[in-house]
Amino acid sequence: MYTRVLVLRFPPDITDKPLVCRLARDFDLDFNILKAEILPEEEGLMVLELSGHKKNVSEGLKYLKAQGVKIKSVAQQIRRNEDVCIHCGACTGICPTNALTIDPETAYVNFEPSKCKGCEFCLIVCPVRAMEIKFAKEKV
Amino acid sequence: MEGKRYNVQKTIAEINQKIKEGRAVIVTAEEMVDIVRDKGEIEAAKEVDVVTTGTFSPMCSSGAFINFGHSVPGIKASKVWLNGVPAYAGLAAVDIYIGCTEPREDDPLNKVYPGEFLYGGGHVIQDLVAGKPVLLKAEAYGTHCYPKKKFEKKVTLKDLPFAQLCNPRNAYQNYNCAVNVTTKTIYTYMGTLRPRMGNANYCTSGQLSPLFNDPYYKTIGIGTRIFLGGGVGYIISEGTQHNPDVPRTEKGIPKRPSGTIMVTGNLKAMTPRYLAGVSILGYGCSLAVGIGVPIPVLNEEIAMSTGVSDEDIVTQVIDYGLDYHMGKARPIAEVTYKELKSGQIKVDGKIVPTAPLSSYARAREIAATLKKWIQQGDFTLTEPQSTIPSSGTPFNN
């Protein structure tokens, strides 16, 4: 089983089309919508976890791209501003995937982007706002 | 301490002499744990002269007194804002107090719940110590001696004639571990708490925390020189809500929120690394303050106290969903800091993941920095001019 967490952007002219359901129907993929904000006539945004055979995942993504959906991997989207983080650990209790954990030796907070699923809980729970997200910034 | 005979007896003056001669032995509270465990408190008291502590955590009762200098013509400011954050101006003409929990005047607060509280008094203080320019606006009704009614200028910390951090309540000796037993997520000063005890948050540096290392405030008192916000400060009194009379463990460690200190220090000598503005979702703004208190090891009893470890320190688990705001605050469970720091605790048979709001990494840094200052002879110890209220009989002897 191959799994990827992706950020999909839907240009305003295609937000009325049923696209994601076809990933299951035509490409035999499982999907889990982690976040979605899709409104008529506006750019839509979805964070999607996609699992299935590696070949099917890449075929499915090819299909979405052909429909005009822009795709990026979520790992590249969430990052930590190292100058701002105070290593308190407030994020570690809320992170559902253990991408943020406290190193028992150094007491520093480790961030492993590969484990991040882009739920964004850490962004607002962080008291010094050290966690940043690229697409959220671009959207504003 | 009168009437008690100790095997080891030192004075602060003797320790200071050793510091000046470069002979003093200084260790952090973390290092002291093993020393006392391995050698016993008498040997530890002979060997070690000073134990340094540290904490870095949001401390809401914090702020700064600022004098922003007289303009020509003068103004008797009655309303003042720093970067849009109201400061208290009911003092002399150009004296103000900026409190760290004051949000920006145009902040949406909790109108869209939970509010983010992105900028407040704590952030103003951090910006000032970072050397950033801050917009000061003042309004006045005008008097004969101070005719100006409006005033606006960019100020930096360097330009300000006077800026003094003065925090009415810091370094809480112990604090609750917070959970939420309801079925909805809640947003509190103890952070975001998920429903059905989905997580537990706690907020002291445990074995490194200043008042845990001197639980009856025998060496810590009015006039104690400390590390404050990266500079030098002083304890000037017990803090607000100081409450030494709470249940304690056999070793004298309070099991509930108890002692507090009021501290002050020159803001101009501080650094943003140890004074950070914080935003607590759905709750408000605050300031994370770095504090380190040196504890002179005057006898074996103090050596014993400074040898306290996370497994000796107990706190209560409190429900913030139903109980806390109703003033009930009855403990659901008692847990040690060792358990809290393991990443999970067991409450009513349920495994609950834990997270700190206090930076242990930075608390460690503070204790190490203070140790270095003392080793270099830059920082000597002060004799407290008076003690702060304590409780009961120490160690139940």
Side-chain angles (χ1 to χ4, degrees), chain A residues 29-87:
Chain A
L29 295 170
D30 286 343
F31 64 82
N32 185 13
I33 299 171
L34 302 173
K35 178 186 172 155
E37 199 179 329
I38 300 190
L39 297 163
E41 306 295 315
E42 275 181 40
E43 185 186 69
L45 182 111
M46 184 182 285
V47 180
L48 193 71
E49 187 180 52
L50 210 53
S51 331
H53 194 281
K54 195 168 179 178
K55 200 175 145 224
N56 291 348
V57 171
S58 91
E59 289 294 320
L61 294 181
K62 237 182 244 170
Y63 160 76
L64 288 180
K65 277 181 196 159
Q67 303 300 313
V69 179
K70 288 177 207 140
I71 302 167
K72 276 186 179 174
S73 160
V74 81
Q76 305 156 1
Q77 306 289 311
I78 292 195
R79 61 179 172 210
R80 178 168 68 180
N81 186 334
E82 299 296 335
D83 295 335
V84 175
C85 175
I86 58 170
H87 294 274

Side-chain angles (χ1 to χ4, degrees), chain B residues 47-63:
Chain B
E47 192 178 310
V48 178
D49 298 305
V50 185
V51 172
T52 61
T53 61
T55 181
F56 185 71
S57 197
M59 302 191 195
C60 285
S61 202
S62 299

Side-chain angles (χ1 to χ4, degrees), chain B residues 169 172 217 238-244 258-261 388-390:
Chain B
R169 179 171 76 245
Y172 234 125
Y217 336 115
E238 71 270 26
T240 57
Q241 295 182 24
H242 175 77
N243 179 18
S258 50
T260 66
I261 48 176
I388 58 176
S390 187

Side-chain angles (χ1 to χ4, degrees), chain A residues 82-96 102 104-108 121 123-129, chain B residues 56 116-118 123 192 194 198-199 273 276-281 288 353-362 364-365:
Chain A
E82 299 296 335
D83 295 335
V84 175
C85 175
I86 58 170
H87 294 274
C88 64
C91 54
T92 61
I94 214 84
C95 176
I102 296 179
E105 282 303 306
T106 63
Y108 283 104
F121 287 155
L123 264 76
I124 42 176
V125 161
C126 173
V128 290
R129 297 297 188 272
Chain B
F56 185 71
E116 288 203 65
F117 301 94
L118 291 175
H123 299 88
T192 301
R194 289 158 138 179
N199 62 330
R273 188 170 182 80
V278 300
S279 306
I280 304 164
L281 192 64
T354 59
L357 304 174
S358 168
S359 173
Y360 196 73
R362 226 156 257 191
R364 225 179 223 170
E365 239 176 67

